[in-house]
Amino acid sequence: MPYPIDKKFVIAVSSSALFDLTESDSIFKVKGVDAYRKYQDDNINKPFEKGVAFPFIKRLLNLNNSFPEEQPIEVVLFSKNSPESGLRAFRSIQHYGLNISRAYFSSGKSHFRFLPAFNATLFLSANEKDTKDAIKAGFAAGTVLNTKVIDDDEDKELRLAFDFDGVIADDTSEKFYQESNGDMPKYFKHEKDLASNPLAGGPIGTLLQKISFFQKLEKRKVDSDKNYKRILSTTIVTARNAPAHERVVTTLKSLDIEVDGVFFLGGIDKSRILNILKPHIFFDDQMVHLDHLDKIPAVHIPFGVANKDN
């Protein structure tokens, strides 16, 4: 019997994150809502191009194939379109064979307050204001950035990469660093003294917890079926380095999170790692690490002290 919604791992995604709506948005901004609706109606059978979140969403849904009885993964479409304008998005979903059946069309109104009704662990949108409002209201949300999507259908693995502070963990350490005016020796001493004290979970710590749970289930499947190929791969890519590294491990243990790898970069440009790792999605709370990425599906988490001026 399928899991009820309150026991599923649910991601809410906007049509602007799942698909490339650049042309549609341009018509809306220049010609207005009536022209936008007519454009969608005239092109209703023309599928949207894939958006930034598409490779992540497609592969996440494929995880249901590993657990066919439970079907534990659910994706819900959250859209500010009217129901009639949203028909093209659903036809595009059907065109690409995505198992998405639930949706909310809000006809231009704010919609994030309904996330708990769908038990959503994360809300992804291309609308920066929507994700900021959701974060302020206490929901896990991220803004997908406008990067070129390369989706290799032969690549069945789902690689996820995460920054640490302000993403998986809270931003307590980042606050201390800023309050110390970037005094690295003081920061390192602070983190070394607190190495055995885990940080609290950050805005999408729960997301990685749930992903880690499925990774553990996949490992069990490998033990019982040597032909099974794992789908999930998780990596932390953080600017921290020794002696501030130990607190990362302590925090992951406290959150019961296991990852496949951790890069302690000590200020090395993260793109040097990401361009080799080629994650299907990368989460970071600081735009300085995101605004120059090319062909890496990136998500900005507008959380905490790193975004206090935004």
Side-chain angles (χ1 to χ4, degrees), residues 198-242:
L199 291 159
I204 62 169
T206 299
L207 172 71
L208 185 51
Q209 281 180 310
K210 293 186 177 183
I211 290 291
S212 180
F213 170 76
F214 284 108
Q215 283 188 288
K216 294 169 187 175
L217 292 183
E218 281 203 294
K219 289 176 182 178
R220 293 177 194 171
K221 286 185 74 71
V222 170
D223 290 339
S224 61
D225 180 3
K226 300 302 180 184
N227 293 319
Y228 179 75
K229 294 184 179 180
R230 290 175 56 192
I231 295 173
L232 292 166
S233 174
T234 54
T235 305
I236 303 291
V237 183
T238 174
R240 284 178 179 248
N241 61 322

Side-chain angles (χ1 to χ4, degrees), residues 258-271:
E258 296 179 9
V259 294
D260 294 296
V262 181
F263 288 94
F264 296 105
L265 296 182
I268 293 175
D269 189 340
K270 293 182 181 182
S271 66

Side-chain angles (χ1 to χ4, degrees), residues 5-33:
I5 193 70
D6 61 340
K7 292 186 178 180
K8 286 198 172 192
F9 174 29
V10 183
I11 301 294
V13 61
S14 73
S15 51
S16 62
L18 186 59
F19 300 117
D20 182 354
L21 302 187
T22 304
E23 187 174 357
S24 297
D25 288 344
S26 176
I27 290 172
F28 178 81
K29 291 174 182 177
V30 174
K31 298 183 178 181
V33 64

Side-chain angles (χ1 to χ4, degrees), residues 45 56 281:
N45 291 314
F56 164 61
I281 200 159

Side-chain angles (χ1 to χ4, degrees), residues 57 92 110 142 214 294:
I57 293 297
S92 298
S110 176
F214 284 108
D294 182 33

